[in-house]
Amino acid sequence: MARRDVPLPLHGAVSDRLHSALRAAAEAAAAPVYVGRGGDEEFSVPAGIRKPDVFVIDAAARRETLLEDRSTYHGGDLVLVAEVVSRRSGSEQSDRVAKRREYAEAGIPHYWIVDFRPVARVEVLELNDRGRYGTVRTALDTEELKAAEPFAVTLVPAALLEV
């Protein structure tokens, strides 16, 4: 099968569901953050510009950027990024290796890798004191994932496939 440079349709649906789940959790926790999704908003990281599938940014940093009429945020203002993997696409290796390194170099404390093949899977990584990500938990299929940082969130990976 040839590599695809365009995300699969399911990729967008999973990204939308994850965005909705994180946004609802942030609102329930009254967390001072903005939950966004890839598209027009971009972030500078040491290796260049990135547009994560779903992200959480400090609300004050977002406000400051908007008031300065800038279109690019600093990667260090992010508190969580999530990338949805599309198997056999041109971005799978990037999500698992390059972005993992770049986001760590930018100092982003939380990185989630979401996969939906062969089963739904969410891997939660946190930045350690050596500046590298380590996996702190992984939830598969119908397992409940509970995370306390950057705000309390509970989700079931299989629910991200309910389109």
Side-chain angles (χ1 to χ4, degrees):
M1 178 178 237
R3 281 178 40 160
R4 295 175 51 98
D5 291 329
V6 178
L8 300 169
L10 186 55
H11 177 279
V14 169
S15 295
D16 287 347
R17 297 280 300 181
L18 179 61
H19 172 262
S20 295
L22 289 174
R23 186 172 178 188
E27 288 174 0
V33 297
Y34 168 77
V35 180
R37 56 185 141 203
D40 297 332
E41 297 177 285
E42 58 188 28
F43 300 88
S44 62
V45 295
I49 299 295
R50 288 290 183 194
K51 294 182 179 187
D53 293 321
V54 179
F55 61 89
V56 178
I57 188 169
D58 175 78
R62 181 171 192 270
R63 183 178 178 347
E64 180 181 319
T65 300
L66 292 173
L67 290 175
E68 292 175 0
D69 208 22
R70 289 188 284 129
S71 61
T72 303
Y73 299 92
H74 299 290
D77 293 333
L78 289 160
V79 293
L80 181 147
V81 291
E83 295 289 356
V84 177
V85 174
S86 289
R87 295 271 174 119
R88 296 184 299 275
S89 74
S91 68
E92 182 179 7
Q93 180 74 4
S94 178
D95 289 344
R96 296 188 190 282
V97 180
K99 290 178 185 177
R100 181 178 177 145
R101 182 185 64 250
E102 292 170 12
Y103 293 157
E105 288 173 359
I108 302 165
H110 306 279
Y111 182 33
W112 290 16
I113 300 175
V114 180
D115 200 344
F116 49 86
R117 298 260 195 275
V119 297
R121 176 179 195 257
V122 178
E123 180 180 6
V124 175
L125 302 105
E126 290 182 2
L127 203 57
N128 63 30
D129 57 359
R130 295 185 322 255
R132 294 188 178 135
Y133 286 118
T135 301
V136 294
R137 72 187 57 80
T138 301
L140 298 171
D141 201 23
T142 59
E143 291 177 277
E144 189 173 75
L145 172 72
K146 290 187 177 201
E149 296 294 330
F151 44 81
V153 60
T154 301
L155 62 84
V156 174
L160 299 174
L161 295 172
E162 294 173 6
V163 292

